[in-house]
Amino acid sequence: MSKKIDYVWLYACLLPTFAFVGVFLLYPAIEAFRMSFLDWSMTNYLHPRYAGLDNYAELLKNAEFRNSFLILLAFMLWNIVVLQGASIMGAYLINSLGQSRLGGFFKVAFTVPMVLPGMVVTMFWLFFYEPNNGMLNYVLGHLGLESWQKVWLGESQATAMGSIMMKGFPWVSGLGFLIYLAGFQNIDESLREAARMDGASAGKIFWRIDLRLILPQIRLTTVLVLIGGTQQFSDQLIMTKGGPGYSTMVPGLYMFNHAFTYGKLGTGSAIGVILFLLKMGFTLLNARLMRERG
Amino acid sequence: MRKSIATALTLAVSASLLSACGGDNEPSGASGTAAGSPANSAPVSFTVMHNQGEYSWPAYQKIVDGFNAQSGNKAALKYIPAQESENWLQTQFIAASEPEVISGTSKLADAYKNGWIVDILPYLDEVSPYTNKPWKESFLPGLIESAIDRSDENNPHLYGIPNQVVTVNLYYNKDIFDKIGVASPPATITEFLDVAKKAKDAGYVPFSIQNSTDWNIGWFAGDLFGYLWQSRLSELDLNQSGKVELNEWAIAVMEDKVNEISPELKEYLRFIGDLVPYLNEGFNSASWEFEGIFNEGKSAMALNGSWYPNQHQEGGFAVNYGIAPIPYLDKGYSEYGGDSRRKYKIGSTPSFAITRNAQQNKADAASLEFLQYMTAPEGGAKVLADDLNLIPVVDGVEVPAILQPIMDSFGTEDKLDFLANEFTAEQKDNWFKKQQEYMAGHITADEFLNEYGKDLKKYASEAIKNHPEWNADSYLK
Amino acid sequence: MGSRRISRVFVVGILAVLLFFTLFPMYFMVVTAFKTNYQLSINYFGLPLTPHPEFMKDAFGKIGLYLQNSAVISGASVAGVLLVSSLSAYVFARFTFPLKAALFGLLLAFLMIPGILTLVPQFVLVSKLHLINSPWAAILPYIATGQLVVIFVFRTFFEEIPKELIESIRMDGGGEPVVFVRLVLPLAVPIFLSMGLVNVLSTWNDFIWPLLVLSDQTKTTVTVGLYRFMDPQQIIYGSVYSGMTLASLPLMALFAFTMRYFVQGMTSGAIKA
C-alpha cells in the first residue's frame, strides 16, 4: 500500500486526537507533577510556594494515609476473589445450560442490570443499610433478630467496610460475567466430553478444564481490578465519606478531600502522583508477566 | 435550611476564627464605585447564591422581588445544597464563576486574601437608600462590631453581612420531663446528666444528636470550652481583647501552653465520655434524623438552633417542647465550672458577601444595595423575622415572640472560643473524625489526645506561615 | 442421563436464586416509587395497593432537566469520540508515515494515566477556560479520555477490512474520503454502535467530575442530580425511588434494542484496555 500520500493530510486527521490528548491529558498530567511540588492551598492560592518534596514527605509520615492503602488493598482483594468468583460461577452455570433457550434467557437477564445507572444502584444499597427504615434492619427486625440490627455504615470499621463490600450482592451481573461467559463459550465442548468419558466428575472437569482454560480471562479481569481499582472512591464518598473516623478512607477519597474539601491543591496532586505510580507499577508488572509467559 | 444555618452556626460558635484570620495587604477591595441611590441607573442583573433549604425559598424570593421592585435591578436567586456549598464555592472561586453575592462558607477570610470577595467595611458609613441613615446605624448595638475581623489591627475588614443572629439552645420534651418527674430544664451539666439518666431508665433516648457532622457535639463543645479555658484567659489573650483569637491560639501552641496534656482537654473528653451512654444509637452516622427522633417524641432532649421553633411550626410536629439555654459547666461537675451561666454579648458572623465577579460585572453597587435591602428594617430583615422566625440583626424589627427567651439570655461578656483544633480545615476534620472514634469506644481519651498532639505544632505553624500579618515571630522569641 | 437432568435442575435453581437477588433492587425501586412513606412502613415489599403516581410527576419535574443535560453531554461526547477516533484509527490502520509507531505508542502510554492524577489540574484547566457549568466542561475531557480505547478497537477493525475491497473502490477513481465514507463507515456501523454505547454508559455514570464542574442545579447531570435527591432531613421515599426509576428508563430503553452491541463493546473494549 505505498500510494503517494500527502502526509499533511494524515497528520491533519490525527490532529484532533492529539489536540485532545495534549490539552486534556498531557498538560494536566504535567501540571499534576508540578503542583505536587507546591505548597498551594486556599490560604495562599495567589502565592503558591515551591515546597520540594514536602508534600510527599508529609503524606508518607501520615498514618491515616498509609493506612488508606491497606483499606484499598482489602477492597481490591475482595473484588478480585469474591466478585470474580461470583461472576465465574454465574457464567459457568449459564454456560452449562448450553445453547438452550433457558441459557439465553439467563444471559440476558443477568446483563440487564448492568445498564442501571451506577448512582441508582448505590442509592438502593444506601437505603438497604439505612438504620431506621432500611431494608436490612427491617428484615432482621421481622425475623426477631433485633439484636443484630446495626447502624451498618457507621458502627465500626467492620460493619462499614463489610457493608460496602456486600454492595451489589450477588455480583454476578457485570463486565467480568460477560468476559467469563465468552471464555467458557469458547472452550471446545469435546474437551469436556472426553473428560466425561474418562469418568471425571463435573467438579473435576470444572477445575481441570474450564477454570484452567479461562485463566487468561481471570488474569485480564484481575489486571482490570488492580489498575482500575486504585482510583475508585465514589462508593466510599457517597456511602460513608470515608468514615466512621478514617475506617473506610481510600487514597482516592483522601485526595479528593485534600484538594476539594481542605483546599490543599498541592497535597492533593501529590496523592494523585502516588496513585499514578502505583497504577504504573501494576501495569508494568502485568506487562512483564505477559512477556515471561511468551 | 437548618443545615445551612447550622453551617453558619458552626461558624458562630467559632466566631473569632474568622475575626482572627487576617487579610493581607492585597488591594482586593471595592473601587469605591459602589452604592448609589436606587433606580437612578440602568437595571443591573446579578445572582445571589444561598444554601437555605426549600422551606425558606418563598421568603428569600420575597426579599429578592422586593429589592428588584424598589431598586429596578434584576437580582436572581441560586440555591446550592448546604452540605455542598463550601466545596461548591471553592470550586467556583477557582473557576472565577462565582455568583455576585454569595453565602454559606466559613472561609471568607481566605477568600478575601485570594481576592475573591470584597471588603464591605468602607461602605458601612455610607447612607443606605432604604433607611436614609448610615448603613451601620441599622444594626443592633455591637452586632456588626462582632463580625469585623480585627486580627490585623491597622487593617480591619468586614467580609460579609450577617442576616440573622443564630443561637444554639437545649430543646426538651415537656411530656417526657413530666413523666420522669423533672420539673424544670437542666441548667447545669450535673443536672443534665441526672435528667439523662432518668430518661434512660424510663426507656427514652435521653439526648439525640447527629455526629456525622460536627454540628451537635461541636455546639456543645463551643459552650463548654468557654468555661474550660476561662482561667487561662489572661495568659493566652496577648492583645487584651477579652477573647483568644486564632493567632493567639497558634502562639500558645508554639509555646507549649496548649498541648495534648492540657487538663482542659482531658476534662472536655471526660464529659464527652460521660455523655456517650445517653446518646441515640448510631449517633456517629446519624444526620438530621436526630431531629426526627426528637420530633416523634422518642428523645427527651436535643440541641438545636434558634431556627427550630419555625421548623416545628412549619412541620406541624406533635412534640410538646420547651427551650432552655445549653446546660453550663458547673462547679459540681468540674473544677473548671462556673457558678452561673455566662451571658454573652449578642453577636453574629459574616454571611452574605460580595464577590470579585460583582466588580468584574459592574454589579458591585447593585450587590451592595441588595445587602442593604436585606438588612433594612422595612425590607429583608422584616421578611426574615416574620416569615422565617429568624432573630433580626437590626433595630426596629420585632423579634418573634417565641425567640424572646433567647434574646433575654444575651449579656455583656465575651465568649472564649477554643480554636487550637481548627488551624486548618484538615486539622478540624481530623479532630472530628478522631472524636467519632473516641465516642465509638475505638480509642481512649489519651490516644485521642496523643493523636491530636502529634501534628498540633505542624498545623499551628502552617497557620502562622499563612498569616504573616500576625507577626507571630515577634511573640515567639 | 438422569443425574445430568438433576444437575440441570440444580443449576437452574441456583441461577434463579441469583437472578432473584440481582433483579430484586429493580423490582423494589419500581414498586416503592408509587408508595407513600406510610405505605412503605406497613407494606414493605409488596405491590402498592393504592399506587401514588404523583411522586413520579413530582420527580419528573426535578429530574427531567437533569436527564436532558445528561443526554446532551453523553450524546455530544459519544459523537465526538466516534468522530475523532475513527479518523485517527483509520490513519493508523491504513497508512505508513513517519513517527507512526511513536505516535501510537504515545497514545498507548496515555491509557496508563489514571483519571485521578489529572483530576485536580484538569479542574483548574477547565476553570481557566471558563467552562465551569457549561456542558463542554464535561464533553471535551470525556472525548479526550474516551477516544483512546476506541482508537485501539477501531484500528484493529479497520485493519481487518480486506484490501481488495478498498482497491476496487480506488480503481473506480474514489479517493480516500470516498473509501472512508462509502466502504469503511457502513462496515463499521456495528462497532460504532458498540463503542458508542459503552461510552454512553460511562459518561452517564460518571459522578465525581460533573459534581465538580457541573455543580449548578440547572446544569448538572442525572447522576449528581440523584445524589442530591437524598436530602436526609425528610426523605420521601416515593419521590426518591421515582427519581431513580426515571433516571434508569432512558438507558433501559436505549439498551433494550442494542444489548448485543453493548455486550460486544464491553468485552472488546476491556480486552483492548
Side-chain angles (χ1 to χ4, degrees), chain B residues 1-3 78 81 84 88 91-92 94-95 97 287-288, chain C residues 123 127 130 132-133 211-212 215-217 227-228 231-233:
Chain B
M1 46 182 128
R2 300 161 263 186
K3 282 178 291 195
K78 180 199 285 288
E84 284 175 45
W88 185 86
T91 55
Q92 303 306 311
I94 293 178
S97 60
S287 179
W288 285 98
Chain C
F123 172 76
S127 303
H130 295 289
I132 295 291
N133 290 325
L211 183 71
L212 291 175
S215 48
D216 250 36
Q217 206 73 334
Y227 173 66
R228 291 188 181 152
D231 187 333
Q233 292 182 58

PDB file of all heavy atoms in Angstrom, chain B residues 1-3 78 81 84 88 91-92 94-95 97 287-288, chain C residues 123 127 130 132-133 211-212 215-217 227-228 231-233:
ATOM      1  N   MET B   1     -31.902  24.164  54.644  1.00  0.00           N
ATOM      2  CA  MET B   1     -32.451  25.091  55.631  1.00  0.00           C
ATOM      3  C   MET B   1     -31.675  25.015  56.920  1.00  0.00           C
ATOM      4  O   MET B   1     -30.733  25.733  57.131  1.00  0.00           O
ATOM      5  CB  MET B   1     -33.903  24.765  55.875  1.00  0.00           C
ATOM      6  CG  MET B   1     -34.130  23.283  56.055  1.00  0.00           C
ATOM      7  SD  MET B   1     -35.866  22.909  56.286  1.00  0.00           S
ATOM      8  CE  MET B   1     -36.136  21.686  55.085  1.00  0.00           C
ATOM      9  N   ARG B   2     -32.047  24.079  57.793  1.00  0.00           N
ATOM     10  CA  ARG B   2     -31.340  24.024  59.078  1.00  0.00           C
ATOM     11  C   ARG B   2     -29.878  23.779  58.868  1.00  0.00           C
ATOM     12  O   ARG B   2     -29.053  24.342  59.529  1.00  0.00           O
ATOM     13  CB  ARG B   2     -31.894  22.887  59.922  1.00  0.00           C
ATOM     14  CG  ARG B   2     -33.337  23.077  60.196  1.00  0.00           C
ATOM     15  CD  ARG B   2     -33.931  21.771  60.589  1.00  0.00           C
ATOM     16  NE  ARG B   2     -34.548  21.156  59.452  1.00  0.00           N
ATOM     17  CZ  ARG B   2     -35.251  20.058  59.527  1.00  0.00           C
ATOM     18  NH1 ARG B   2     -35.416  19.467  60.665  1.00  0.00           N
ATOM     19  NH2 ARG B   2     -35.794  19.543  58.463  1.00  0.00           N
ATOM     20  N   LYS B   3     -29.603  22.885  57.895  1.00  0.00           N
ATOM     21  CA  LYS B   3     -28.216  22.518  57.665  1.00  0.00           C
ATOM     22  C   LYS B   3     -27.391  23.758  57.400  1.00  0.00           C
ATOM     23  O   LYS B   3     -26.320  23.939  57.934  1.00  0.00           O
ATOM     24  CB  LYS B   3     -28.137  21.616  56.436  1.00  0.00           C
ATOM     25  CG  LYS B   3     -28.536  20.229  56.735  1.00  0.00           C
ATOM     26  CD  LYS B   3     -28.475  19.413  55.490  1.00  0.00           C
ATOM     27  CE  LYS B   3     -29.542  19.825  54.542  1.00  0.00           C
ATOM     28  NZ  LYS B   3     -29.757  18.864  53.487  1.00  0.00           N
ATOM     29  N   LYS B  78     -29.896  31.748  43.469  1.00  0.00           N
ATOM     30  CA  LYS B  78     -29.375  30.451  43.068  1.00  0.00           C
ATOM     31  C   LYS B  78     -29.170  29.638  44.338  1.00  0.00           C
ATOM     32  O   LYS B  78     -28.558  30.092  45.291  1.00  0.00           O
ATOM     33  CB  LYS B  78     -28.051  30.609  42.335  1.00  0.00           C
ATOM     34  CG  LYS B  78     -27.463  29.267  41.893  1.00  0.00           C
ATOM     35  CD  LYS B  78     -25.984  29.384  41.593  1.00  0.00           C
ATOM     36  CE  LYS B  78     -25.687  30.071  40.284  1.00  0.00           C
ATOM     37  NZ  LYS B  78     -25.999  29.262  39.114  1.00  0.00           N
ATOM     38  N   PRO B  81     -27.192  23.153  47.696  1.00  0.00           N
ATOM     39  CA  PRO B  81     -27.444  22.446  48.955  1.00  0.00           C
ATOM     40  C   PRO B  81     -26.341  22.714  49.985  1.00  0.00           C
ATOM     41  O   PRO B  81     -25.162  22.783  49.634  1.00  0.00           O
ATOM     42  CB  PRO B  81     -27.448  20.979  48.543  1.00  0.00           C
ATOM     43  CG  PRO B  81     -27.713  20.974  47.079  1.00  0.00           C
ATOM     44  CD  PRO B  81     -27.165  22.259  46.541  1.00  0.00           C
ATOM     45  N   GLU B  84     -23.026  20.914  50.325  1.00  0.00           N
ATOM     46  CA  GLU B  84     -22.065  21.073  49.239  1.00  0.00           C
ATOM     47  C   GLU B  84     -21.557  22.499  49.114  1.00  0.00           C
ATOM     48  O   GLU B  84     -20.633  22.758  48.339  1.00  0.00           O
ATOM     49  CB  GLU B  84     -22.716  20.708  47.901  1.00  0.00           C
ATOM     50  CG  GLU B  84     -22.884  19.233  47.660  1.00  0.00           C
ATOM     51  CD  GLU B  84     -23.650  18.996  46.373  1.00  0.00           C
ATOM     52  OE1 GLU B  84     -23.346  19.649  45.367  1.00  0.00           O
ATOM     53  OE2 GLU B  84     -24.567  18.168  46.398  1.00  0.00           O
ATOM     54  N   TRP B  88     -18.531  23.792  46.864  1.00  0.00           N
ATOM     55  CA  TRP B  88     -19.016  24.413  45.632  1.00  0.00           C
ATOM     56  C   TRP B  88     -18.398  25.788  45.461  1.00  0.00           C
ATOM     57  O   TRP B  88     -17.875  26.125  44.397  1.00  0.00           O
ATOM     58  CB  TRP B  88     -20.548  24.519  45.675  1.00  0.00           C
ATOM     59  CG  TRP B  88     -21.151  25.039  44.410  1.00  0.00           C
ATOM     60  CD1 TRP B  88     -21.497  24.314  43.304  1.00  0.00           C
ATOM     61  CD2 TRP B  88     -21.495  26.405  44.111  1.00  0.00           C
ATOM     62  NE1 TRP B  88     -22.006  25.145  42.346  1.00  0.00           N
ATOM     63  CE2 TRP B  88     -22.025  26.423  42.803  1.00  0.00           C
ATOM     64  CE3 TRP B  88     -21.397  27.602  44.818  1.00  0.00           C
ATOM     65  CZ2 TRP B  88     -22.466  27.598  42.199  1.00  0.00           C
ATOM     66  CZ3 TRP B  88     -21.836  28.766  44.203  1.00  0.00           C
ATOM     67  CH2 TRP B  88     -22.373  28.767  42.914  1.00  0.00           C
ATOM     68  N   THR B  91     -14.745  25.724  44.440  1.00  0.00           N
ATOM     69  CA  THR B  91     -14.515  25.431  43.030  1.00  0.00           C
ATOM     70  C   THR B  91     -14.934  26.613  42.152  1.00  0.00           C
ATOM     71  O   THR B  91     -14.261  26.920  41.176  1.00  0.00           O
ATOM     72  CB  THR B  91     -15.263  24.156  42.592  1.00  0.00           C
ATOM     73  OG1 THR B  91     -16.637  24.291  42.907  1.00  0.00           O
ATOM     74  CG2 THR B  91     -14.713  22.933  43.265  1.00  0.00           C
ATOM     75  N   GLN B  92     -16.020  27.273  42.528  1.00  0.00           N
ATOM     76  CA  GLN B  92     -16.455  28.419  41.712  1.00  0.00           C
ATOM     77  C   GLN B  92     -15.450  29.565  41.808  1.00  0.00           C
ATOM     78  O   GLN B  92     -15.209  30.265  40.829  1.00  0.00           O
ATOM     79  CB  GLN B  92     -17.834  28.921  42.142  1.00  0.00           C
ATOM     80  CG  GLN B  92     -18.935  27.885  42.094  1.00  0.00           C
ATOM     81  CD  GLN B  92     -19.059  27.212  40.744  1.00  0.00           C
ATOM     82  OE1 GLN B  92     -19.108  27.870  39.712  1.00  0.00           O
ATOM     83  NE2 GLN B  92     -19.086  25.888  40.741  1.00  0.00           N
ATOM     84  N   ILE B  94     -12.212  29.312  42.285  1.00  0.00           N
ATOM     85  CA  ILE B  94     -11.063  28.955  41.452  1.00  0.00           C
ATOM     86  C   ILE B  94     -11.403  29.186  39.986  1.00  0.00           C
ATOM     87  O   ILE B  94     -10.597  29.680  39.201  1.00  0.00           O
ATOM     88  CB  ILE B  94     -10.663  27.483  41.689  1.00  0.00           C
ATOM     89  CG1 ILE B  94     -10.130  27.315  43.104  1.00  0.00           C
ATOM     90  CG2 ILE B  94      -9.619  27.046  40.684  1.00  0.00           C
ATOM     91  CD1 ILE B  94      -9.747  25.895  43.446  1.00  0.00           C
ATOM     92  N   ALA B  95     -12.633  28.847  39.630  1.00  0.00           N
ATOM     93  CA  ALA B  95     -13.044  28.959  38.234  1.00  0.00           C
ATOM     94  C   ALA B  95     -13.457  30.373  37.869  1.00  0.00           C
ATOM     95  O   ALA B  95     -13.778  30.640  36.726  1.00  0.00           O
ATOM     96  CB  ALA B  95     -14.203  27.998  37.976  1.00  0.00           C
ATOM     97  N   SER B  97     -16.146  31.714  38.497  1.00  0.00           N
ATOM     98  CA  SER B  97     -17.517  31.674  38.013  1.00  0.00           C
ATOM     99  C   SER B  97     -18.497  31.843  39.171  1.00  0.00           C
ATOM    100  O   SER B  97     -19.642  31.458  39.069  1.00  0.00           O
ATOM    101  CB  SER B  97     -17.777  30.358  37.286  1.00  0.00           C
ATOM    102  OG  SER B  97     -17.565  29.269  38.158  1.00  0.00           O
ATOM    103  N   SER B 287     -27.626  11.705  60.776  1.00  0.00           N
ATOM    104  CA  SER B 287     -27.644  13.049  60.224  1.00  0.00           C
ATOM    105  C   SER B 287     -28.856  13.757  60.812  1.00  0.00           C
ATOM    106  O   SER B 287     -29.153  13.572  61.991  1.00  0.00           O
ATOM    107  CB  SER B 287     -27.683  12.967  58.699  1.00  0.00           C
ATOM    108  OG  SER B 287     -27.716  14.250  58.153  1.00  0.00           O
ATOM    109  N   TRP B 288     -29.587  14.484  60.021  1.00  0.00           N
ATOM    110  CA  TRP B 288     -30.685  15.261  60.590  1.00  0.00           C
ATOM    111  C   TRP B 288     -31.814  14.407  61.137  1.00  0.00           C
ATOM    112  O   TRP B 288     -32.762  14.930  61.703  1.00  0.00           O
ATOM    113  CB  TRP B 288     -31.211  16.245  59.558  1.00  0.00           C
ATOM    114  CG  TRP B 288     -30.261  17.373  59.401  1.00  0.00           C
ATOM    115  CD1 TRP B 288     -29.323  17.514  58.428  1.00  0.00           C
ATOM    116  CD2 TRP B 288     -30.116  18.499  60.272  1.00  0.00           C
ATOM    117  NE1 TRP B 288     -28.600  18.656  58.636  1.00  0.00           N
ATOM    118  CE2 TRP B 288     -29.064  19.282  59.742  1.00  0.00           C
ATOM    119  CE3 TRP B 288     -30.761  18.918  61.431  1.00  0.00           C
ATOM    120  CZ2 TRP B 288     -28.649  20.465  60.352  1.00  0.00           C
ATOM    121  CZ3 TRP B 288     -30.339  20.101  62.022  1.00  0.00           C
ATOM    122  CH2 TRP B 288     -29.302  20.859  61.495  1.00  0.00           C
TER     123      TRP B 288
ATOM    124  N   PHE C 123      -9.305  20.092  36.547  1.00  0.00           N
ATOM    125  CA  PHE C 123     -10.298  21.015  37.072  1.00  0.00           C
ATOM    126  C   PHE C 123      -9.815  22.459  36.964  1.00  0.00           C
ATOM    127  O   PHE C 123     -10.547  23.349  36.528  1.00  0.00           O
ATOM    128  CB  PHE C 123     -10.634  20.684  38.532  1.00  0.00           C
ATOM    129  CG  PHE C 123     -11.492  21.719  39.154  1.00  0.00           C
ATOM    130  CD1 PHE C 123     -12.837  21.776  38.856  1.00  0.00           C
ATOM    131  CD2 PHE C 123     -10.958  22.691  39.978  1.00  0.00           C
ATOM    132  CE1 PHE C 123     -13.635  22.766  39.382  1.00  0.00           C
ATOM    133  CE2 PHE C 123     -11.739  23.684  40.506  1.00  0.00           C
ATOM    134  CZ  PHE C 123     -13.084  23.719  40.207  1.00  0.00           C
ATOM    135  N   SER C 127     -11.439  25.319  34.593  1.00  0.00           N
ATOM    136  CA  SER C 127     -11.812  26.583  35.216  1.00  0.00           C
ATOM    137  C   SER C 127     -11.211  27.762  34.457  1.00  0.00           C
ATOM    138  O   SER C 127     -11.888  28.744  34.181  1.00  0.00           O
ATOM    139  CB  SER C 127     -11.311  26.632  36.653  1.00  0.00           C
ATOM    140  OG  SER C 127     -11.814  25.563  37.383  1.00  0.00           O
ATOM    141  N   HIS C 130     -12.863  28.866  31.497  1.00  0.00           N
ATOM    142  CA  HIS C 130     -14.218  29.385  31.779  1.00  0.00           C
ATOM    143  C   HIS C 130     -15.307  28.454  31.273  1.00  0.00           C
ATOM    144  O   HIS C 130     -16.290  28.888  30.687  1.00  0.00           O
ATOM    145  CB  HIS C 130     -14.396  30.774  31.172  1.00  0.00           C
ATOM    146  CG  HIS C 130     -13.495  31.774  31.815  1.00  0.00           C
ATOM    147  ND1 HIS C 130     -13.694  32.228  33.096  1.00  0.00           N
ATOM    148  CD2 HIS C 130     -12.378  32.367  31.365  1.00  0.00           C
ATOM    149  CE1 HIS C 130     -12.718  33.071  33.401  1.00  0.00           C
ATOM    150  NE2 HIS C 130     -11.904  33.181  32.376  1.00  0.00           N
ATOM    151  N   ILE C 132     -16.648  26.064  33.398  1.00  0.00           N
ATOM    152  CA  ILE C 132     -17.424  25.532  34.522  1.00  0.00           C
ATOM    153  C   ILE C 132     -18.909  25.829  34.313  1.00  0.00           C
ATOM    154  O   ILE C 132     -19.286  26.931  33.905  1.00  0.00           O
ATOM    155  CB  ILE C 132     -16.943  26.169  35.842  1.00  0.00           C
ATOM    156  CG1 ILE C 132     -15.503  25.771  36.136  1.00  0.00           C
ATOM    157  CG2 ILE C 132     -17.839  25.791  37.016  1.00  0.00           C
ATOM    158  CD1 ILE C 132     -15.290  24.327  36.490  1.00  0.00           C
ATOM    159  N   ASN C 133     -19.710  24.813  34.573  1.00  0.00           N
ATOM    160  CA  ASN C 133     -21.156  24.892  34.401  1.00  0.00           C
ATOM    161  C   ASN C 133     -21.595  25.007  32.947  1.00  0.00           C
ATOM    162  O   ASN C 133     -22.737  25.342  32.667  1.00  0.00           O
ATOM    163  CB  ASN C 133     -21.769  26.036  35.215  1.00  0.00           C
ATOM    164  CG  ASN C 133     -21.714  25.741  36.689  1.00  0.00           C
ATOM    165  OD1 ASN C 133     -21.855  24.587  37.094  1.00  0.00           O
ATOM    166  ND2 ASN C 133     -21.484  26.748  37.497  1.00  0.00           N
ATOM    167  N   LEU C 211     -19.823  16.432  39.431  1.00  0.00           N
ATOM    168  CA  LEU C 211     -20.020  17.028  40.756  1.00  0.00           C
ATOM    169  C   LEU C 211     -19.134  18.272  40.891  1.00  0.00           C
ATOM    170  O   LEU C 211     -19.524  19.263  41.499  1.00  0.00           O
ATOM    171  CB  LEU C 211     -19.661  16.002  41.834  1.00  0.00           C
ATOM    172  CG  LEU C 211     -19.866  16.415  43.294  1.00  0.00           C
ATOM    173  CD1 LEU C 211     -21.351  16.500  43.615  1.00  0.00           C
ATOM    174  CD2 LEU C 211     -19.196  15.442  44.241  1.00  0.00           C
ATOM    175  N   LEU C 212     -17.954  18.216  40.279  1.00  0.00           N
ATOM    176  CA  LEU C 212     -17.034  19.341  40.378  1.00  0.00           C
ATOM    177  C   LEU C 212     -17.350  20.433  39.361  1.00  0.00           C
ATOM    178  O   LEU C 212     -17.390  21.610  39.698  1.00  0.00           O
ATOM    179  CB  LEU C 212     -15.589  18.865  40.167  1.00  0.00           C
ATOM    180  CG  LEU C 212     -14.997  18.001  41.257  1.00  0.00           C
ATOM    181  CD1 LEU C 212     -13.613  17.520  40.857  1.00  0.00           C
ATOM    182  CD2 LEU C 212     -14.912  18.797  42.556  1.00  0.00           C
ATOM    183  N   SER C 215     -21.804  21.744  38.863  1.00  0.00           N
ATOM    184  CA  SER C 215     -22.475  21.672  40.152  1.00  0.00           C
ATOM    185  C   SER C 215     -23.742  22.511  40.210  1.00  0.00           C
ATOM    186  O   SER C 215     -24.518  22.382  41.135  1.00  0.00           O
ATOM    187  CB  SER C 215     -21.499  22.113  41.245  1.00  0.00           C
ATOM    188  OG  SER C 215     -20.883  23.304  40.866  1.00  0.00           O
ATOM    189  N   ASP C 216     -23.955  23.348  39.229  1.00  0.00           N
ATOM    190  CA  ASP C 216     -25.178  24.147  39.227  1.00  0.00           C
ATOM    191  C   ASP C 216     -26.404  23.250  39.106  1.00  0.00           C
ATOM    192  O   ASP C 216     -26.436  22.361  38.276  1.00  0.00           O
ATOM    193  CB  ASP C 216     -25.170  25.096  38.023  1.00  0.00           C
ATOM    194  CG  ASP C 216     -24.998  26.506  38.475  1.00  0.00           C
ATOM    195  OD1 ASP C 216     -24.262  26.701  39.455  1.00  0.00           O
ATOM    196  OD2 ASP C 216     -25.601  27.399  37.862  1.00  0.00           O
ATOM    197  N   GLN C 217     -27.387  23.543  39.917  1.00  0.00           N
ATOM    198  CA  GLN C 217     -28.596  22.728  39.936  1.00  0.00           C
ATOM    199  C   GLN C 217     -29.218  22.601  38.540  1.00  0.00           C
ATOM    200  O   GLN C 217     -29.783  21.588  38.197  1.00  0.00           O
ATOM    201  CB  GLN C 217     -29.586  23.361  40.918  1.00  0.00           C
ATOM    202  CG  GLN C 217     -30.567  22.415  41.514  1.00  0.00           C
ATOM    203  CD  GLN C 217     -29.944  21.489  42.563  1.00  0.00           C
ATOM    204  OE1 GLN C 217     -28.758  21.203  42.554  1.00  0.00           O
ATOM    205  NE2 GLN C 217     -30.769  20.998  43.467  1.00  0.00           N
ATOM    206  N   TYR C 227     -28.034  12.156  43.378  1.00  0.00           N
ATOM    207  CA  TYR C 227     -27.286  12.235  44.637  1.00  0.00           C
ATOM    208  C   TYR C 227     -27.911  13.306  45.525  1.00  0.00           C
ATOM    209  O   TYR C 227     -28.056  13.128  46.739  1.00  0.00           O
ATOM    210  CB  TYR C 227     -25.837  12.547  44.296  1.00  0.00           C
ATOM    211  CG  TYR C 227     -24.929  12.843  45.462  1.00  0.00           C
ATOM    212  CD1 TYR C 227     -24.639  11.861  46.389  1.00  0.00           C
ATOM    213  CD2 TYR C 227     -24.336  14.090  45.598  1.00  0.00           C
ATOM    214  CE1 TYR C 227     -23.786  12.127  47.441  1.00  0.00           C
ATOM    215  CE2 TYR C 227     -23.481  14.363  46.640  1.00  0.00           C
ATOM    216  CZ  TYR C 227     -23.204  13.383  47.563  1.00  0.00           C
ATOM    217  OH  TYR C 227     -22.359  13.646  48.599  1.00  0.00           O
ATOM    218  N   ARG C 228     -28.298  14.405  44.918  1.00  0.00           N
ATOM    219  CA  ARG C 228     -28.867  15.496  45.710  1.00  0.00           C
ATOM    220  C   ARG C 228     -30.313  15.235  46.098  1.00  0.00           C
ATOM    221  O   ARG C 228     -30.892  15.973  46.876  1.00  0.00           O
ATOM    222  CB  ARG C 228     -28.782  16.792  44.932  1.00  0.00           C
ATOM    223  CG  ARG C 228     -27.366  17.247  44.786  1.00  0.00           C
ATOM    224  CD  ARG C 228     -27.296  18.619  44.191  1.00  0.00           C
ATOM    225  NE  ARG C 228     -25.911  19.017  44.044  1.00  0.00           N
ATOM    226  CZ  ARG C 228     -25.499  19.872  43.120  1.00  0.00           C
ATOM    227  NH1 ARG C 228     -26.367  20.408  42.298  1.00  0.00           N
ATOM    228  NH2 ARG C 228     -24.238  20.191  43.054  1.00  0.00           N
ATOM    229  N   ASP C 231     -32.002  14.156  50.343  1.00  0.00           N
ATOM    230  CA  ASP C 231     -31.987  15.121  51.426  1.00  0.00           C
ATOM    231  C   ASP C 231     -32.372  14.394  52.707  1.00  0.00           C
ATOM    232  O   ASP C 231     -33.487  13.913  52.845  1.00  0.00           O
ATOM    233  CB  ASP C 231     -32.990  16.234  51.123  1.00  0.00           C
ATOM    234  CG  ASP C 231     -32.899  17.350  52.145  1.00  0.00           C
ATOM    235  OD1 ASP C 231     -32.487  17.065  53.286  1.00  0.00           O
ATOM    236  OD2 ASP C 231     -33.237  18.483  51.798  1.00  0.00           O
ATOM    237  N   PRO C 232     -31.426  14.258  53.627  1.00  0.00           N
ATOM    238  CA  PRO C 232     -31.694  13.389  54.768  1.00  0.00           C
ATOM    239  C   PRO C 232     -32.707  13.964  55.754  1.00  0.00           C
ATOM    240  O   PRO C 232     -33.105  13.283  56.685  1.00  0.00           O
ATOM    241  CB  PRO C 232     -30.323  13.246  55.420  1.00  0.00           C
ATOM    242  CG  PRO C 232     -29.560  14.434  54.992  1.00  0.00           C
ATOM    243  CD  PRO C 232     -30.126  14.899  53.691  1.00  0.00           C
ATOM    244  N   GLN C 233     -33.120  15.189  55.588  1.00  0.00           N
ATOM    245  CA  GLN C 233     -33.985  15.779  56.599  1.00  0.00           C
ATOM    246  C   GLN C 233     -35.372  15.166  56.606  1.00  0.00           C
ATOM    247  O   GLN C 233     -35.943  14.898  57.631  1.00  0.00           O
ATOM    248  CB  GLN C 233     -34.078  17.276  56.392  1.00  0.00           C
ATOM    249  CG  GLN C 233     -32.751  17.932  56.693  1.00  0.00           C
ATOM    250  CD  GLN C 233     -32.825  19.418  56.540  1.00  0.00           C
ATOM    251  OE1 GLN C 233     -33.611  20.071  57.187  1.00  0.00           O
ATOM    252  NE2 GLN C 233     -32.011  19.939  55.665  1.00  0.00           N
TER     253      GLN C 233
END
